[in-house]
Structures are given as C-alpha cells and as structure tokens.
Amino acid sequence: MLGIDRINTLLFTLIAFLSTFVAAQNCIGVIPAGGGNQFWSDVEAGANAAGKELATAIYFRGPKDEERQEAQRNAIHIFKKMGCKALVLAPDTQERAHDVALLKQQDIPTIYIDRDPGGAEVVAVVGTDNVAAGKLAGREMANRLHGKGNILVFQVVQGVASTDMRTAGFTETSAQGGLHIVDVIYLGSSIGAARQRCADAIRRYRGHIDGIFTPNESTTMAAYLTLRNEKTDKHLIHIGFDTNDTLNIALKNGEIDGLVVQRPYEMGYIAVKLAAKAAEKLPIQNRFVDTGVQYLTK
C-alpha cells in the first residue's frame, strides 16, 4: 500500500500537471518569420499587450532569420505540443499552408500576419497592403528624381510574399513615373553577407544608378550602412521600409531620403485579438485587416 506521503506527492504532481495543461490551453502562439529586427520586437509587444487584456498567455517564438525555414517548422511543432487554442503566423513559405490545414483539422484556427503567400485556409490576414505600400514608395522615388533615373532594388530572399509584393508595386509605379529598374539583387537575411553583396552591387553600378529601393528593415539597414562607407559620385536617393533607432537618426540626418513605416505593434495586437475570437468561434467579418503605413521624410 502507498503511504500517505506518497499519495500526497502523486496528488500534487497530478494537480500540477492538470494546471499546466489548462494553462497551455489558454495560450495563443505567435510565430514570426524572423528575429532580431525592431519590426518583430514591435509585433511581439503588441501581441503581449493583447494577451494581457485577454488574460491569455502568449507563446512568441520563431527563427533568427527568414532563411531558416526549418526553425519556423520546429516552432510550429512545439506550438502543437503546447496545446494552445490559436496560432498567429508570419509564414516564411507557401508550404506553411500544409501546417495550417493540419491545425484546422485539430480545430485550431490560424491568423496570418504581415504576409499571405496564398493557398492556406486561414481565418484572417493582418498586415500591410504590400502592393499599395510599394506603389507609395515608387511614387515618392519618381517625385524625388523628377521622373528620370535608374534604380537598384535590394531584396531579402526570393519567395517572401511581403517584400515580393512591395517590389512589384514599386516597380510598376516607378516605371509609370519614368524610372528604370536596372537590377533586383537578393541580399539574404544575414546582415554581414547582405552588406557585402550590397557593396559589390553599388561598386558594379557606380555612376549608372540614381536611386535605391529596399523593401524591409534588414535590406534598408544593409544599404544604409553600405552607403555610409562607400564613396559614390553623387547622392543616391534611398527609399526604404520600416524603422529602428539607427534608421530614424539616418533619416533625420538626410542619409536616408524616405521610409515607408508599417505598424507592427498594431499587427501583433489585432492578430491576437482575432485569434482569440476565432478560438471561441465568434464571427470575424473582414478576412484582411490593413494596418496601414506612413511615409516619413526628414
């Protein structure tokens, strides 16, 4: 027979397990596409604020950079084991549609954030109208160059829906404004390698480009840091995306000409709120929520 101490220990262990299980059920996973940028830190802050209001734990975990797709896959597997009631996901590839389908079979709803590569039965998408934001940058570039000039575009990695859409919008509108895209170069998500590829391209096209477009925080940082150290025969108009303390200072100093700034805090906040509603099977009217952008200059 079990002694009273042994029984009490077993009961305590069981209660602790059940408490942990219940706590896990009352959580929402938020899995970004990358890490290290101010953008994702702001998304996390907004998600945590919404979680606090809902008295719901927020599980925020993702890869360090957008090229590590296996890391996001692993984060989703961990999320499944935790038994959270809903997921907010910034998909790093269209293949995430398979994960979304499996979660739906388990009655776990998914909200996409920041980008929508298509093909997934998500409840809603919260983010920027990326094509429209790219067109805004294209118009501003055409205005700064008075409808004449050659542009170099720096991308992150091929196949990222958000930056692909921004580049598409920028290319369309800048062409309508009289500009010419001379090349689109993929820098990667590692800042060291990105700066080297950026420097190589600027040297290669020295004297033949008038402007640079960068569609996210990491490419904007890489281009800014490179231009600060590279000698060019004239000032290249640089219009980028997103912001952080360094880019704010660069903008004020005239080292960057314009930034299209998204609202990542609002993305995280709204997405968690919608995820909670979806978990409770409450109706969600709008499948796409545009959190908007601002165009900042000095």
Side-chain angles (χ1 to χ4, degrees):
M1 295 179 63
L2 293 173
I4 188 66
D5 291 339
R6 177 63 171 163
I7 292 173
N8 287 338
T9 300
L10 289 173
L11 286 173
F12 178 81
T13 303
L14 178 61
I15 291 170
F17 171 79
L18 291 174
S19 298
T20 302
F21 180 77
V22 171
Q25 292 291 309
N26 190 33
C27 65
I28 292 174
V30 181
I31 301 179
N37 291 337
Q38 184 64 44
F39 180 89
W40 295 117
S41 296
D42 290 345
V43 167
E44 182 178 11
N48 286 332
K52 186 176 181 180
E53 290 181 12
L54 295 166
T56 300
I58 300 300
Y59 167 76
F60 189 96
R61 183 169 181 173
K64 291 182 179 179
D65 63 66
E66 298 206 23
E67 294 183 89
R68 297 184 59 196
Q69 295 182 356
E70 75 285 353
Q72 188 175 75
R73 189 181 302 113
N74 291 337
I76 293 173
H77 288 327
I78 295 172
F79 159 79
K80 289 179 183 177
K81 291 179 180 179
M82 291 185 67
C84 293
K85 60 187 179 181
L87 175 65
V88 174
L89 174 67
D92 57 6
T93 174
Q94 192 172 14
E95 295 175 7
R96 291 291 159 261
H98 176 69
D99 297 296
V100 171
L102 292 177
L103 290 173
K104 186 177 181 180
Q105 291 175 8
Q106 300 173 37
D107 202 28
I108 300 173
T110 301
I111 305 289
Y112 270 173
I113 191 171
D114 182 58
R115 80 277 303 264
D116 180 10
E121 295 183 68
V122 294
V123 177
V125 179
V126 181
T128 299
D129 183 335
N130 289 303
V131 174
K135 288 182 177 181
L136 170 61
R139 286 193 296 272
E140 294 294 340
M141 183 69 81
N143 289 337
R144 286 301 304 270
L145 292 174
H146 307 290
K148 185 179 180 181
N150 295 319
I151 309 299
L152 192 58
V153 175
F154 291 119
Q155 268 270 35
V156 194
V157 293
Q158 198 163 12
V160 177
S162 55
T163 52
D164 283 350
M165 290 177 180
R166 291 168 202 163
T167 298
F170 176 85
T171 300
E172 177 186 338
T173 307
S174 61
Q176 291 172 351
L179 307 183
H180 174 63
I181 306 296
V182 296
D183 204 351
V184 177
I185 296 174
Y186 293 93
L187 300 181
S189 54
S190 167
I191 189 63
R195 288 181 63 180
Q196 184 59 56
R197 294 181 185 120
C198 187
D200 291 344
I202 289 173
R203 291 167 192 159
R204 188 186 323 142
Y205 288 103
R206 181 176 282 122
H208 300 285
I209 54 174
D210 305 286
I212 291 173
F213 172 62
T214 50
N216 80 321
E217 184 178 345
S218 66
T219 54
T220 302
M221 277 293 294
Y224 159 64
L225 294 172
T226 301
L227 287 172
R228 190 177 62 177
N229 297 322
E230 287 291 319
K231 292 182 179 180
T232 57
D233 55 349
K234 59 183 175 182
H235 173 72
L236 300 178
I237 303 299
H238 179 195
I239 293 179
F241 254 79
D242 299 327
T243 191
N244 54 40
D245 290 343
T246 299
L247 294 178
N248 278 338
I249 293 171
L251 188 68
K252 291 177 182 178
N253 291 339
E255 296 170 291
I256 293 178
D257 299 273
L259 291 172
V260 180
V261 178
Q262 303 177 85
R263 296 187 172 93
Y265 181 94
E266 286 77 3
M267 288 185 200
Y269 181 88
I270 294 170
V272 165
K273 289 278 190 166
L274 290 180
K277 288 184 66 175
E280 296 172 10
K281 294 183 170 52
L282 297 174
I284 294 176
Q285 296 180 347
N286 298 322
R287 187 183 180 278
F288 177 69
V289 178
D290 180 10
T291 48
V293 296
Q294 289 179 300
Y295 183 73
L296 304 185
T297 64
K298 181 178 179 179

